[in-house]
């Protein structure tokens, strides 16, 4: 290579142009000079943008702190299991806040458990108070036929007809069939057994044919409905005229008032007093309900009713 050609190739290399060697006089051999790899500094220089690299980069976003759950005024029974955990990446303030929140949740959980336990104990004492009253008056017979439906003649007649009508219809159906004597006798026997069970086998009905005569059957239903009601009302009058029953009725009314007051107000003091002395507890609530002296309302004077919770 001539000196002039070498200078030309060197200038091309420095300028970043093609540095292939081409002989001036058309030689046969071609020498290709490989381009040297870019150095890190040269690569940075070659990739400088046209504006000189002064482009403003967007500021990096600040590191987000761990989100701390906000405590709410409403709590549930399982707060102790709903606690938050700290991590090493949290700041000291974040860890302190989470510890404080977990302590508040634990306290709330304990408060709720105590409230539930108190409510359960309250209802248990109410049941015990009712059992004490019932045992105190266990010698009194239960009120006979307390349901008004059992003393309504229309309803009683419908009940009896609902039992007897299907058996009577079955007997009449079997009777219409030919050569069916055994089935007819069996159906009649079932109908008569039901009449006896309901006390329709009376001497008053001997002249009547309830099985074959519709008018006789209807008359007997109405007569027996009135008969049932009259007997039940007489039993109730006899029960109510008993002196021990009258004492029980008065005591039951006062006890119901006492129980209703405790359930409505949730007064534990009155409840505990009632378990020891129901009469004293009843006097307590009457004093609390009594209007203050000098108030605008008029007061009735007269003998007080003495209520006894004893047998």
């Amino acid at each position: 290579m001539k000196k002039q050609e070498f200078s030309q190739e060197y200038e091309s290399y420095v300028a970043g142009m093609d540095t292939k060697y081409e002989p001036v006089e058309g030689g046969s051999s071609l020498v290709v000079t490989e381009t040297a790899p870019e150095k890190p500094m040269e690569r940075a220089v070659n990739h400088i943008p046209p504006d000189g690299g002064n482009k403003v980069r967007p500021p990096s976003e600040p590191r987000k702190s761990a989100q701390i759950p906000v405590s709410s005024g409403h709590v549930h029974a399982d707060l102790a299991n709903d606690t938050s955990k700290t991590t090493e990446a949290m700041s000291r303030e974040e860890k302190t806040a989470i510890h404080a929140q977990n302590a508040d949740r634990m306290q709330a959980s304990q408060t709720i458990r105590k409230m539930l336990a108190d409510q359960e104990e309250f209802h248990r004492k109410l049941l015990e108070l009712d059992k004490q009253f019932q045992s105190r008056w266990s010698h009194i017979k239960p009120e006979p036929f307390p349901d008004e439906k059992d003393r309504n003649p229309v309803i009683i007649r419908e009940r009896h007809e609902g039992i007897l009508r299907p058996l009577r219809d079955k007997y009449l159906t079997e009777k219409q069939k030919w050569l069916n004597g055994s089935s007819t006798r069996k159906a009649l026997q079932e109908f008569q057994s039901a009449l006896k069970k309901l006390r329709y086998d009376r001497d008053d009905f001997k002249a009547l044919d309830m099985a074959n005569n519709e008018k006789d059957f209807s008359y007997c239903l109405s007569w027996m409905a009135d008969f049932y009601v009259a007997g039940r009302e007489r039993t109730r009058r006899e029960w109510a005229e008993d002196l021990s029953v009258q004492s029980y009725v008065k005591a039951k009314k006062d006890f119901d008032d006492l129980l209703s007051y405790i359930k409505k107000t949730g007064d534990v003091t009155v409840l505990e007093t009632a378990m020891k002395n129901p009469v004293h507890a009843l006097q307590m609530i009457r004093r609390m309900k009594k209007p203050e002296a000098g108030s605008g309302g008029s007061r009735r004077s007269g003998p007080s009713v003495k209520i006894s919770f004893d047998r």
Side-chain angles (χ1 to χ4, degrees), residues 76-88:
H76 52 83
D78 200 21
L79 286 177
N81 298 329
D82 190 17
T83 55
S84 301
K85 296 182 179 180
T86 59
T87 61
E88 295 295 335

Side-chain angles (χ1 to χ4, degrees), residues 7-282:
S7 300
Q8 183 180 356
E9 292 296 328
Y10 178 76
E11 291 175 1
S12 299
Y13 170 77
V14 174
M17 298 174 62
D18 189 7
T19 57
K20 292 182 180 180
Y21 171 71
E22 296 181 356
V24 178
E25 298 180 356
S28 60
S29 63
L30 295 178
V31 179
V32 180
T33 306
E34 296 182 359
T35 304
E38 294 185 57
K39 298 180 181 179
M41 184 61 66
E42 293 175 352
R43 186 183 301 112
V45 174
N46 293 336
H47 288 82
I48 295 178
D51 56 358
N54 295 328
K55 186 176 181 180
V56 180
R57 297 182 180 179
S60 60
E61 296 182 0
R63 182 176 64 88
K64 293 183 180 180
S65 60
Q67 185 177 2
I68 303 176
V70 180
S71 60
S72 174
H74 300 281
V75 294
H76 52 83
D78 200 21
L79 286 177
N81 298 329
D82 190 17
T83 55
S84 301
K85 296 182 179 180
T86 59
T87 61
E88 295 295 335
M90 293 182 179
S91 63
R92 181 178 180 182
E93 291 77 8
E94 292 172 348
K95 293 180 179 179
T96 303
I98 289 179
H99 289 319
Q101 187 182 62
N102 290 339
D104 293 340
R105 287 180 174 177
M106 182 65 68
Q107 181 65 31
S109 177
Q110 294 176 355
T111 303
I112 291 177
R113 289 193 179 96
K114 185 177 183 302
M115 290 174 59
L116 294 176
D118 292 342
Q119 291 179 3
E120 185 177 356
E121 180 68 13
F122 182 80
H123 290 294
R124 186 190 65 79
K125 289 183 178 180
L126 280 178
L127 293 176
E128 184 177 350
L129 180 63
D130 184 68
K131 290 181 179 179
Q132 289 179 1
F133 178 82
Q134 297 298 336
S135 62
R136 189 178 296 114
W137 295 94
S138 60
H139 64 287
I140 300 297
K141 294 181 180 180
E143 180 183 0
F145 309 106
D147 192 352
E148 294 183 358
K149 294 181 180 180
D150 295 334
R151 293 176 275 120
N152 189 322
V154 177
I155 296 178
I156 293 176
R157 188 186 190 281
E158 292 177 352
R159 291 174 180 174
H160 288 187
E161 187 173 6
I163 297 172
L164 298 175
R165 175 71 69 178
L167 297 176
R168 182 174 182 270
D169 291 343
K170 180 182 179 181
Y171 159 72
L172 295 176
T173 301
E174 295 294 336
K175 184 181 178 181
Q176 298 297 326
K177 297 178 181 180
W178 290 91
L179 302 176
N180 198 21
S182 60
S183 299
T184 302
R185 288 191 297 271
K186 182 179 179 181
L188 179 60
Q189 184 179 1
E190 291 176 354
F191 176 67
Q192 292 175 346
S193 298
L195 289 174
K196 185 176 181 180
K197 188 176 182 180
L198 294 173
R199 296 187 297 173
Y200 277 72
D201 56 337
R202 301 175 58 84
D203 295 338
D204 306 84
F205 301 151
K206 281 186 176 181
L208 301 177
D209 187 2
M210 288 182 285
N212 299 286
N213 192 303
E214 178 64 28
K215 290 183 179 180
D216 291 348
F217 178 66
S218 179
Y219 169 79
C220 292
L221 287 174
S222 299
W223 194 95
M224 287 298 294
D226 295 335
F227 177 76
Y228 266 70
V229 171
R232 292 175 179 182
E233 290 292 353
R234 182 175 60 255
T235 303
R236 286 177 57 82
R237 284 195 302 269
E238 294 174 354
W239 177 82
E241 290 173 357
D242 190 290
L243 295 179
S244 60
V245 171
Q246 293 178 3
S247 300
Y248 164 74
V249 172
K250 293 179 182 179
K252 184 69 167 62
K253 181 180 181 303
D254 288 333
F255 180 76
D256 290 342
D257 294 340
L258 176 62
L259 206 62
S260 176
Y261 174 83
I262 295 175
K263 289 180 179 179
K264 182 178 180 180
T265 61
D267 196 326
V268 180
T269 303
V270 177
L271 174 59
E272 293 178 350
T273 304
M275 296 184 68
K276 299 177 182 178
N277 191 334
V279 177
H280 188 198
L282 188 62

